[in-house]
Amino acid sequence: MSELRRSSTRSGQGWGPPRRSSGQRLRSLLSPRSVAGQVFLLQLGVILLLVIATVVALVLQARHESTQAARDRVLSTGEAFANAPDTAAALDGPDPTAVLQPRAEAARKRSGVDNIVVSTPEGIRITHREPELIGEHVVGHYKEAARGEVLTEIDEGPLGLTVYATVPVFRPDGSVAGIVLPEITVENVNEAVGQQLPVIFAAAAGALLLAATGAALVSGRLRRQTRGLGPTEITRMYEHHDAVLHSVREGVLIVGGDGRLLLANDEARRLLDLPEDAEGRELADLGLTPGIGQSLSAGRAASDEVHLSGDRLLAVNVRPVDPHGSPSGNPSGSVATLRDTTELQVLTGRAEVARERLQLLYDAGVRVGTTLDVVRTAEEVAQVAVGRFADVVTVELLDPVLRGEEPEQGAFLEMRRTALVGLEGEHPLYPVGELIHFVPSAPAAVGILQGHAVLARDLVADQDWQAQDPERVREVLEQGFHSLISAPLAARGRNLGNTTFWRRGASPPFDEDDTSFAEELAARAAVAVDNARRYTREHTLAVTLQRSLLPRALPEQSALHVAHRYLPAQGGVGGDWFDVIPLPGARVALVVGDVVGHGLHAAATMGRLRTAVHNFSSLDLPPDELLAHLDELVAGIDTEEVTESDAPDVTGATCLYAVYDPVDGVCTVARAGHLGPALVHPDGSVAFPDVPVSPPLGLGGGMPVETATLRLPADSRLVLFTDGLIERRDRDIDVGLALLHDALAGHPDRDPEKTCTAVVDALRPDHPLDDIALLVARTRLLDPDQVAVWDVPDDPAAVPRIRGEVARRLADWELDEIAFTTELIVSELVTNAIRYGIQPARLRLLYDANSLICEVADASSTSPHLRRAATTDEGGRGLFLVAQCGTRWGTRYTARGKVIWAEQSLHDTAAEPETSAADLLDQWADDEL
């Protein structure tokens, strides 16, 4: 179990040595079985031998130096004593011992020698440190000194082995008067040397310790590098590595820094066909291919570089031994491996082709069908394949598909070329837009009839393809076209068209694998084309519906000069609408609304709301009441559609309703969740009037709607718009309003049509995400001469007078042709006001450019009703007569009562009554009225 744990630890930590304690590391270091231990012991022995030799040499040197120093000392002492001024005289004196003995002892003590002997030339001692030896003969070489020579010697004397000197003492005449023999014993010399030995041994011990430490460090590093292996283990490991090196199926080369091959295993020799004596030779002499030789000798790293060597493709990997180079700047060598990738390259090529095909299918799914436009989708199909699968791509579609219609089931061989990508300028292929009838033998027709892609590998020899258009064949072949694949575009069981992939020039011809891929690509493209076709159909239906629901032409009226714009969103039509509705009394209602959402439901809801606004306007309701009724209507629609899970609520619809009266220039405005209008004054300045806002339609909850009254001078421009004009996701609404202000300001003479153009050019985004409805109305005022007003007294006798004044005013207006009819209408309306109304009452005639309007107002809220009177009825014929004489009539309520009005068209007058005027007037005698 312990071995298993050690093995597990080693394998878990890689190839590094296992952790050891300090004692284990020391034992491993000193073990003679390991290379580290052997090296350490060898180094330790060498160091000990060197230390011993050093100590011996130092001791001998110290003794030699000490002896030489003793020689110098005794010589200098002897010369100093011998050359003393009184020494020669004392020797010649009567008692030399008595004179010289004290001096010798004093000099001995001062100089540190062991003895100073003075003798006669014959060798008889005169002085000695031991007095009993005075008078005895000197032992040693004194005769040379007696001849005048100076000597130093080591010899046995009375004190033992001694270092002494013999120095003659000369008389003034040059003769020798005596001899001075100073001496030092060898024991004293060795004592001096012994005093130096501790220093010598301490230095030796320090050197031994330093050497041992260095040896231990070197041995430890060697132990780490060998991972604690002994010589046997290292030998076994080398044999194992050598066996592996020559048995692996990958070539291994080791190249020296000088470009010579140091090692090559068996696989490298086989792959490169190396000679037997390749190792040690330069790479340039081995006959390697230029690519491989350059990679091996470049001294740089290389990864999977593929080179051709004979009939093999070799993948070469090179790693420099020292990537930074040697100190001299030359690389120290490299290791290279070689792999035979010939078969792998073929498989890799196939895998790369498959990967590129998958990537192409992915790109087709992403790039095809981005615009939901049939033609653009066909172009995207061609663009995604050109350059990656084919050189030229053509797409043909059925005409119903281009119109967004559902194609009939069956194989139709007449299609219109919709896209052609890969050719520019003049070319021999059918151009875009041409209707092509494919012969049954053509590849496109065969593919459509059989429901799969058809390959024409060689167009030069393909007679079926050439039968399609023999006149074009030569030109097509001259352009280099040599191969094609025709794949039908079919989706949801219906044929939509065909796509053809062409190759020309140096491109390889298509094969069977390409046919399968072309079918897959065509199938995905067909789904995108069909989605675009369905969107085109729905978009066409929605646009048609909305266009039918919006005003096709603005009604004639003289109060306002109106221009408009409607721009659908890029993603489809929505629920924005506008309207201009003429009202009684020459007034005009302006309407702008928005239903949240897009598509058929929003368009249909918009139509319902527009119809409701027209219906409420026919009742001549004021703006606040009209919006209140519209709010109730939308709330009711939402309630009805709660049970329909697929029908979204209308909640979010907004509307602005304004009524302009050209008589006094007053405009009454109310809005429900909608943006307020912009007002351009006659001088060109722009303002945004403060109009109270109510909740959007359907969310009012019965809350009252507030209105704003604007007094507009003539030639003012009232601009109504939906939020699609100024709101965008990338900017704040205040920025849009500022842009609108700038587009409107500073052009007082610009008419509504040019104003619409300027606003759209300034604010329309490149890709509108919401509908835009814009309405610009320039105001006009009726001239005071076109308005006539009379107060109606509560007296039936006033009717003839009023009728006469009306006749005179009509004469002033040169309206004599309708004077009779107008008198009838005035008589009836005034009589009813006197009979059934409440004072005060008033009559007003409005002479408009297109009509004459007669209005009678009173304080009563009771409205008359038109009915057919029986023969026996005394009344009920007056309103019938008014309806017959006028173009239209009606009642509207005011804050102080009601107004009964009748309008006569000046361009299409009503038919004259069959009864004469006198007879009609006699039916209502003035006294009865």
Side-chain angles (χ1 to χ4, degrees):
M1 291 298 291
S2 61
E3 287 296 329
L4 289 177
R5 285 194 294 270
R6 287 195 295 272
S7 175
S8 174
T9 303
R10 180 184 291 270
S11 62
Q13 296 178 349
W15 289 98
R19 292 184 175 273
R20 298 180 180 182
S21 64
S22 58
Q24 290 176 333
R25 289 196 297 270
L26 182 60
R27 287 194 298 272
S28 176
L29 177 65
L30 299 178
S31 175
R33 296 177 56 86
S34 66
V35 174
Q38 293 176 1
V39 172
F40 174 73
L41 293 178
L42 176 62
Q43 291 178 341
L44 186 61
V46 171
I47 291 172
L48 286 175
L49 181 60
L50 293 176
V51 168
I52 292 172
T54 301
V55 170
V56 172
L58 290 175
V59 170
L60 292 177
Q61 181 179 2
R63 294 189 63 180
H64 172 72
E65 291 177 353
S66 299
T67 302
Q68 185 63 36
R71 288 176 180 270
D72 294 338
R73 183 186 300 180
V74 295
L75 181 60
S76 60
T77 301
E79 290 179 345
F81 193 87
N83 294 324
D86 296 335
T87 303
L91 286 173
D92 293 332
D95 191 2
T97 300
V99 176
L100 296 177
Q101 178 69 17
R103 293 181 182 178
E105 287 299 311
R108 179 182 65 81
K109 294 179 180 180
R110 288 195 304 270
S111 61
V113 297
D114 291 329
N115 193 13
I116 296 179
V117 177
V118 180
S119 69
T120 64
E122 292 79 15
I124 303 301
R125 295 186 181 96
I126 297 175
T127 64
H128 196 281
R129 63 178 293 181
E130 295 179 6
E132 62 271 14
L133 295 180
I134 296 175
E136 293 186 2
H137 202 279
V138 175
V139 179
H141 302 277
Y142 67 92
K143 294 180 180 182
E144 290 81 357
R147 293 192 297 268
E149 297 181 7
V150 179
L151 297 176
T152 57
E153 294 290 343
I154 299 176
D155 200 357
E156 188 71 28
L159 300 178
L161 190 63
T162 304
V163 178
Y164 66 92
T166 57
V167 179
V169 179
F170 294 99
R171 294 185 181 93
D173 57 1
S175 61
V176 176
I179 301 171
V180 179
L181 294 92
E183 56 184 10
I184 297 177
T185 61
V186 174
E187 290 182 0
N188 292 335
V189 174
N190 291 338
E191 182 179 357
V193 173
Q195 293 176 355
Q196 298 179 3
L197 284 180
V199 178
I200 296 174
F201 282 114
L208 179 62
L209 179 61
L210 182 61
T213 302
L217 293 176
V218 173
S219 300
R221 181 175 181 83
L222 180 61
R223 180 183 60 81
R224 289 193 298 272
Q225 292 180 346
T226 60
R227 303 188 184 277
L229 301 178
T232 303
E233 294 171 325
I234 291 179
T235 302
R236 188 180 299 119
M237 182 179 66
Y238 170 77
E239 293 174 350
H240 170 73
H241 287 180
D242 185 67
V244 171
L245 180 66
H246 290 283
S247 63
V248 295
R249 301 298 296 171
E250 185 170 301
V252 178
L253 300 172
I254 299 179
V255 181
D258 56 354
R260 295 180 179 273
L261 180 63
L262 302 181
L263 183 144
N265 69 346
D266 296 340
E267 183 67 8
R269 293 177 180 272
R270 184 185 69 84
L271 294 176
L272 297 178
D273 195 18
L274 297 176
E276 291 294 333
D277 59 345
E279 296 179 353
R281 296 173 58 181
E282 293 186 0
L283 294 176
D285 300 335
L286 298 179
L288 303 177
T289 60
I292 295 179
Q294 184 178 2
S295 296
L296 296 178
S297 60
R300 58 176 177 82
S303 298
D304 289 335
E305 290 186 356
V306 179
H307 299 281
L308 183 63
S309 178
D311 57 350
R312 300 186 181 96
L313 284 175
L314 301 183
V316 181
N317 291 272
V318 181
R319 293 293 181 270
V321 174
D322 184 6
H324 302 290
S326 61
S328 62
N330 299 319
S332 57
S334 59
V335 178
T337 60
L338 309 173
R339 294 196 316 274
D340 189 353
T341 62
T342 305
E343 296 180 358
L344 181 61
Q345 195 72 15
V346 175
L347 296 176
T348 303
R350 294 178 180 176
E352 182 65 19
V353 172
R355 187 193 66 80
E356 292 177 356
R357 296 276 174 91
L358 289 175
Q359 183 64 37
L360 179 55
L361 290 177
Y362 171 78
D363 292 342
V366 174
R367 295 171 52 186
V368 176
T370 59
T371 61
L372 293 177
D373 179 81
V374 175
V375 175
R376 180 57 186 159
T377 302
E379 294 174 350
E380 291 172 344
V381 172
Q383 290 171 352
V384 77
V386 167
R388 301 170 66 180
F389 180 66
D391 298 318
V392 179
V393 178
T394 58
V395 179
E396 298 83 33
L397 298 177
L398 298 173
D399 278 344
V401 175
L402 292 171
R403 295 191 298 267
E405 301 174 0
E406 189 80 17
E408 298 181 5
Q409 290 186 348
F412 299 93
L413 302 183
E414 191 173 69
M415 293 174 285
R416 191 173 302 278
R417 176 147 291 174
T418 309
L420 190 156
V421 178
L423 288 177
E424 296 181 359
E426 296 183 0
H427 55 80
L429 299 182
Y430 292 112
V432 173
E434 183 166 342
L435 187 64
I436 306 173
H437 180 78
F438 292 98
V439 299
S441 62
V446 174
I448 293 173
L449 294 173
Q450 297 181 1
H452 61 77
V454 175
L455 168 65
R457 185 180 180 86
D458 186 5
L459 296 182
V460 176
D462 196 309
Q463 299 298 323
D464 293 335
W465 170 75
Q466 296 180 12
Q468 170 63 38
D469 193 344
E471 298 180 358
R472 293 178 180 264
V473 168
R474 182 178 58 82
E475 297 180 6
V476 173
L477 295 178
E478 288 178 354
Q479 290 288 332
F481 291 90
H482 56 74
S483 181
L484 67 82
I485 296 177
S486 287
L489 297 174
R492 301 178 179 92
R494 296 181 182 274
N495 180 44
L496 305 176
N498 177 77
T499 180
T500 303
F501 305 95
W502 306 76
R503 283 186 181 175
R504 63 175 184 164
S507 299
F510 289 112
D511 55 24
E512 294 297 333
D513 292 339
D514 295 326
T515 304
S516 301
F517 175 76
E519 284 187 354
E520 177 67 22
L521 182 59
R524 299 195 179 196
V527 173
V529 171
D530 192 53
N531 289 338
R533 178 196 63 79
R534 289 169 173 261
Y535 173 79
T536 301
R537 181 186 61 183
E538 294 181 1
H539 182 71
T540 302
L541 291 176
V543 170
T544 303
L545 174 61
Q546 188 178 47
R547 294 296 185 187
S548 65
L549 295 175
L550 289 173
R552 298 187 179 180
L554 297 181
E556 292 186 4
Q557 46 81 32
S558 58
L560 298 170
H561 178 200
V562 181
H564 63 88
R565 293 288 189 277
Y566 174 77
L567 305 174
Q570 187 180 36
V573 297
D576 292 15
W577 89 93
F578 64 91
D579 223 330
V580 178
I581 305 173
L583 297 177
R587 296 171 302 133
V588 179
L590 301 176
V591 188
V592 173
D594 183 8
V595 176
V596 175
H598 296 86
L600 292 176
H601 181 78
T605 304
M606 178 269 291
R608 298 173 69 178
L609 295 181
R610 180 170 178 261
T611 302
V613 171
H614 270 271
N615 292 335
F616 292 141
S617 297
S618 66
L619 300 177
D620 207 354
L621 298 176
D624 52 346
E625 294 185 20
L626 185 142
L627 291 182
H629 286 293
L630 199 61
D631 177 71
E632 294 178 0
L633 174 65
V634 173
I637 294 175
D638 285 343
T639 303
E640 293 173 1
E641 293 183 349
V642 167
T643 58
E644 301 179 16
S645 58
D646 295 336
D649 294 346
V650 186
T651 302
T654 64
C655 183
L656 184 146
Y657 188 85
V659 176
Y660 174 70
D661 189 345
V663 176
D664 52 9
V666 173
C667 182
T668 305
V669 185
R671 59 185 178 125
H674 202 85
L675 295 170
L679 178 60
V680 183
H681 296 285
D683 60 357
S685 61
V686 180
F688 293 93
D690 185 12
V691 179
V693 61
S694 299
L697 299 176
L699 300 177
M703 296 180 62
V705 178
E706 298 183 50
T707 61
T709 301
L710 308 177
R711 190 167 297 277
L712 307 180
D715 292 329
S716 298
R717 279 168 289 170
L718 191 65
V719 182
L720 310 182
F721 51 90
T722 56
D723 56 359
L725 181 67
I726 62 172
E727 288 188 1
R728 286 172 54 179
R729 295 179 179 177
D730 57 346
R731 74 184 182 199
D732 190 73
I733 187 173
D734 293 336
V735 177
L737 290 174
L739 293 175
L740 177 61
H741 178 279
D742 296 340
L744 294 173
H747 301 279
D749 298 330
R750 194 161 55 187
D751 61 18
E753 194 66 34
K754 293 181 179 180
T755 301
C756 286
T757 302
V759 170
V760 170
D761 292 343
L763 279 83
R764 183 185 184 183
D766 295 334
H767 304 285
L769 301 178
D770 196 6
D771 296 1
I772 297 176
L774 176 64
L775 199 64
V776 179
R778 169 168 284 188
T779 60
R780 297 170 178 168
L781 290 177
L782 291 180
D783 191 276
D785 293 338
Q786 295 178 273
V787 181
V789 181
W790 296 272
D791 292 330
V792 178
D794 191 12
D795 182 6
V799 174
R801 178 182 57 82
I802 294 175
R803 191 168 59 233
E805 293 179 358
V806 168
R808 286 190 294 271
R809 178 53 65 95
L810 292 177
D812 295 337
W813 289 342
E814 299 180 354
L815 298 177
D816 296 331
E817 68 275 9
I818 62 171
F820 170 69
T821 305
T822 304
E823 291 182 29
L824 290 178
I825 295 173
V826 169
S827 297
E828 174 57 28
L829 296 181
V830 172
T831 301
N832 283 343
I834 295 173
R835 179 178 296 179
Y836 304 110
I838 301 175
Q839 290 294 322
R842 187 182 61 174
L843 169 65
R844 186 173 71 166
L845 290 182
L846 300 177
Y847 174 30
D848 195 5
N850 300 317
S851 61
L852 179 67
I853 304 168
C854 178
E855 298 179 345
V856 177
D858 66 84
S860 173
S861 60
T862 303
S863 175
H865 298 281
L866 178 65
R867 64 184 179 88
R868 184 176 294 275
T871 306
T872 59
D873 291 341
E874 294 184 0
R877 298 177 180 85
L879 287 180
F880 181 78
L881 180 62
V882 172
Q884 291 295 316
C885 295
T887 304
R888 56 178 182 162
W889 74 279
T891 303
R892 72 173 183 269
Y893 294 94
T894 65
R896 299 179 179 180
K898 67 178 182 298
V899 175
I900 302 176
W901 57 271
E903 181 179 331
Q904 301 174 80
S905 176
L906 300 181
H907 303 295
D908 185 17
T909 57
E912 291 287 339
E914 297 179 357
T915 308
S916 64
D919 294 338
L920 287 172
L921 293 176
D922 288 343
Q923 294 182 21
W924 291 276
D926 292 344
D927 55 351
E928 295 179 357
L929 296 176

